[in-house]
Amino acid sequence: MRTHDRLRIAIQKSGRLSDPARDLLARAGLSFRESRDRLFCYGESLPIDLLLVRDDDIPGLIAEGVCDLGVVGQNVLAEQAAEREAAGQDEAYQIVRSLGFGRCRLSVAVPNEWEWSGNARLDGTRIATSYPNLLTRWLREQGIAAEAVVLSGSVEIAPRLGKAESICDLVSSGATLQANQLKEVAVILESEAVLAGPAKPFADVRADLASMLLRRLDGVLSVKASKLLLFQAKRSALSEIMKLLPDAEPPTVMPIEGRSEEVALQALCRTAMTWQRLEDMKRAGASGLLVLPVEQMLA
Ligand code: ATP
Ligand code: MG
């Protein structure tokens, strides 16, 4: 029986989500000692340990209380939540934070040569998928009478093998679909990696550890997109310039020695600065524009 004085987070052992998940935790100041079997990593900087597992196992580990939190695709979490719902079980997990990486969508794709007249085209067909619960729920909501054929991998070749007429699978760039002469016709779920936790809050020291981790993660997540913008401008041009920065915090305004008409400004912007935005600012009267990355932030 594990004691509850440490927090345990499950992440994918190897795959698309492992590096971004480890990177995110490292940026939040967590460091780990790797074990020989590389399944368990002991938290050195904080009492927060890692368990390295297959992504499909993460929701179950949270439901059983083997892990406290997990970094997993919303697609995996939603499929297993739908499975529990179909079996009449209680909700076992909740999304604690969306993490902004691992973006993809769960979509229905049909052979290129199909003329697509709408969802009714799927009536009476077979759809190959590894997401039978999400697909079945969507089919029911849409009133489509199609059969879900469950495959655990290589779903995209099912139509060529004659196992199904179309597929329901994860898509990001669409290159895999294209290579298999398939076209996307409906999006069932938009997904990204999330930090998932149990439906019920922690009632021991893990609650404090989790809230500290979340505060740090919030800092890391907002820092990622943020830029510090430094520039100078005439006081009279300021209101026009600030209209171009709707996502900026109220700027710090500083006088410039010997130039009473002008001020120096410092503003934190929450979204990406593009060349277009900088050029628009310059036209509105800003000069000496500097865009700096933000290293750390604690609100
Ligand atoms: P595991 O061995 O852990 O079960 P896996 O093969 O199921 O690995 P990966 O292919 O590494 O998993 O994908 C992990 C997650 O990455 C997916 O569940 C999904 O949330 C996300 N993802 C983002 N883009 C894609 C994509 N184009 N195809 C598949 N998954 C994607
Ligand atoms: Mg998997």
Side-chain angles (χ1 to χ4, degrees), residues 273-294:
M273 289 304 301
T274 58
W275 283 109
Q276 181 68 52
R277 273 178 102 184
L278 290 177
E279 283 156 6
D280 289 347
M281 286 181 67
K282 193 162 169 53
R283 261 192 297 279
S287 62
L289 281 149
L290 267 182
V291 182
L292 305 179
V294 178

Side-chain angles (χ1 to χ4, degrees), residues 113-132:
E113 64 272 16
W114 276 25
E115 227 172 273
W116 186 251
S117 47
N119 291 344
R121 177 69 179 82
L122 296 169
D123 268 325
T125 65
R126 296 165 302 167
I127 308 174
T129 190
S130 312
Y131 295 83

Side-chain angles (χ1 to χ4, degrees), residues 186-261:
V187 177
I188 290 188
L189 179 83
E190 297 275 358
S191 179
E192 66 182 280
V194 297
L195 184 71
K200 293 196 188 84
F202 304 115
D204 43 46
V205 73
R206 291 174 300 168
D208 301 326
L209 287 170
S211 65
M212 179 183 61
L213 177 68
L214 288 183
R215 263 198 316 276
R216 290 193 184 188
L217 284 182
D218 288 340
V220 173
L221 293 171
S222 61
V223 146
K224 262 193 177 171
S226 297
K227 297 278 180 251
L228 185 67
L229 187 62
L230 304 179
F231 61 99
Q232 291 150 28
K234 285 217 168 73
R235 275 183 194 279
S236 55
L238 276 191
S239 68
E240 278 308 302
I241 294 173
M242 289 318 292
K243 279 187 202 155
L244 298 168
L245 297 170
D247 58 321
E249 305 275 301
T252 309
V253 183
M254 294 160 283
I256 301 177
E257 187 65 26
R259 286 191 269 161
S260 57
E261 297 285 282

Side-chain angles (χ1 to χ4, degrees), residues 37-102:
D37 60 7
R38 289 209 62 237
L39 285 178
F40 184 82
C41 304
Y42 184 81
E44 289 188 315
S45 55
L46 286 170
I48 302 181
D49 307 318
L50 278 191
L51 202 62
L52 308 181
V53 295
R54 289 201 55 194
D55 66 346
D56 317 68
D57 294 337
I58 294 176
L61 291 169
I62 296 172
E64 291 158 19
V66 176
C67 287
D68 303 312
L69 297 168
V71 175
V72 65
Q74 238 174 310
N75 48 306
V76 171
L77 197 71
E79 171 65 16
Q80 297 197 22
E83 187 180 349
R84 288 183 71 93
E85 192 189 312
Q89 292 170 305
D90 291 346
E91 265 182 58
Y93 2 85
Q94 59 173 315
I95 293 176
V96 183
R97 286 294 183 281
S98 293
L99 302 176
F101 58 84

